[in-house]
Amino acid sequence: MKTTILLIRHGETAWNLDHRLQGHSDIALNETGRRQAEALARALSTAALDAVIASDLQRAQQTALAVAGRHKLPVFSDKRLRERCFGGFEGLLHGEIRQRYPDQYAAWKARDIDAVMPRGERVAESFRQFYARSVTAILHWAQQYSGQTIAVVAHGGVLECLYRAAAGMALDSPREFLIKNASINRFSFADGKLCLIQWGNVEHLTGPVGDELA
């Protein structure tokens, strides 16, 4: 049976605006992000959702609660859906990271998938570790709700991982696709095969209803 996965990135945060690396840092939505979450909830109000699952970080929870509220569904929290942990990089701007950790920054930008950032408040993880965590979590929920439709609210890195899994992209290949806040990305999962149906839908964030929030 085919499971439909609506994979959603959380709404905007102040750190998104500043291009400050968030990772596991628990940052709330800003005003624009809250409005994006409401526009997203309106857009999905007629969708036949069977479950809403989200990262336990509050920016994902706030976005998921807006969607779930329209359907009178609970939000299931799964910490495996968190953004990649960047260790000592978290909370810093890209320029600050480059200056403070030049070698580790260079490895990150070169897409060394086994490189690990310096430890900060938390222990960082490699992209390979993060990819395995993210994809395993989403496919777990797809199997739990086999033949149904689920909304999964997560983070930009998690969306990247599932895109790569569906497209069969090498983990160290350049990322040449956009990942937008509050975007709807549709996948199907059946017979062990993950397929990408639609990517980066933000129509709900533009025009009279969305008030140009994209």
Side-chain angles (χ1 to χ4, degrees), residues 11-80:
E12 184 184 271
T13 71
W15 283 23
N16 287 148
L17 271 184
D18 293 343
H19 302 289
R20 193 175 296 279
L21 210 60
Q22 294 181 116
H24 283 201
S25 300
D26 200 8
I27 310 304
L29 299 180
N30 62 13
E31 179 58 33
T32 296
R34 290 190 290 273
R35 291 167 62 204
Q36 288 174 334
E38 287 304 319
L40 174 71
R42 286 194 295 271
L44 293 177
S45 61
T46 58
L49 296 183
D50 297 293
V52 179
I53 305 105
S55 154
D56 63 339
L57 298 178
Q58 62 178 318
R59 55 193 185 272
Q61 287 284 313
Q62 289 173 304
T63 307
L65 285 166
V67 173
R70 296 268 177 158
H71 295 267
K72 294 183 169 49
L73 290 171
V75 174
F76 295 108
S77 296
D78 189 342
K79 66 187 299 183
R80 296 175 300 172

Side-chain angles (χ1 to χ4, degrees), residues 24-187:
H24 283 201
S25 300
D26 200 8
I27 310 304
L29 299 180
N30 62 13
E31 179 58 33
T32 296
R34 290 190 290 273
R35 291 167 62 204
Q36 288 174 334
E38 287 304 319
L40 174 71
R42 286 194 295 271
L44 293 177
S45 61
T46 58
L49 296 183
D50 297 293
V52 179
I53 305 105
S55 154
D56 63 339
L57 298 178
Q58 62 178 318
R59 55 193 185 272
Q61 287 284 313
Q62 289 173 304
T63 307
L65 285 166
V67 173
R70 296 268 177 158
H71 295 267
K72 294 183 169 49
L73 290 171
V75 174
F76 295 108
S77 296
D78 189 342
K79 66 187 299 183
R80 296 175 300 172
L81 294 170
R82 287 184 179 189
E83 182 60 274
R84 179 181 176 184
C85 184
F86 288 101
F89 283 14
E90 292 185 10
L92 300 178
L93 302 173
H94 283 241
E96 294 170 335
I97 298 168
R98 185 172 58 246
Q99 184 175 38
R100 196 173 301 183
Y101 304 109
D103 293 341
Q104 293 94 331
Y105 181 83
W108 177 39
K109 287 302 176 181
R111 297 204 65 90
D112 181 343
I113 63 172
D114 292 308
V116 176
M117 291 79 176
R119 179 175 183 143
E121 183 179 339
R122 290 166 288 272
V123 177
E125 60 189 332
S126 70
F127 187 73
R128 190 190 301 274
Q129 292 168 328
F130 170 57
Y131 176 88
R133 164 168 69 80
S134 302
V135 174
T136 297
I138 293 172
L139 296 188
H140 162 81
W141 287 105
Q143 291 163 340
Q144 287 288 107
Y145 287 90
S146 179
Q148 301 180 71
T149 298
I150 60 174
V152 179
V153 183
H155 307 266
V158 176
L159 271 66
E160 175 182 352
C161 289
L162 208 67
Y163 184 107
R164 288 180 181 276
M169 290 179 63
L171 299 190
D172 59 356
S173 62
R175 192 186 85 192
E176 297 176 339
F177 47 92
L178 295 176
I179 303 174
K180 298 181 179 181
N181 287 108
S183 60
I184 302 170
N185 308 276
R186 296 174 187 267
F187 296 81

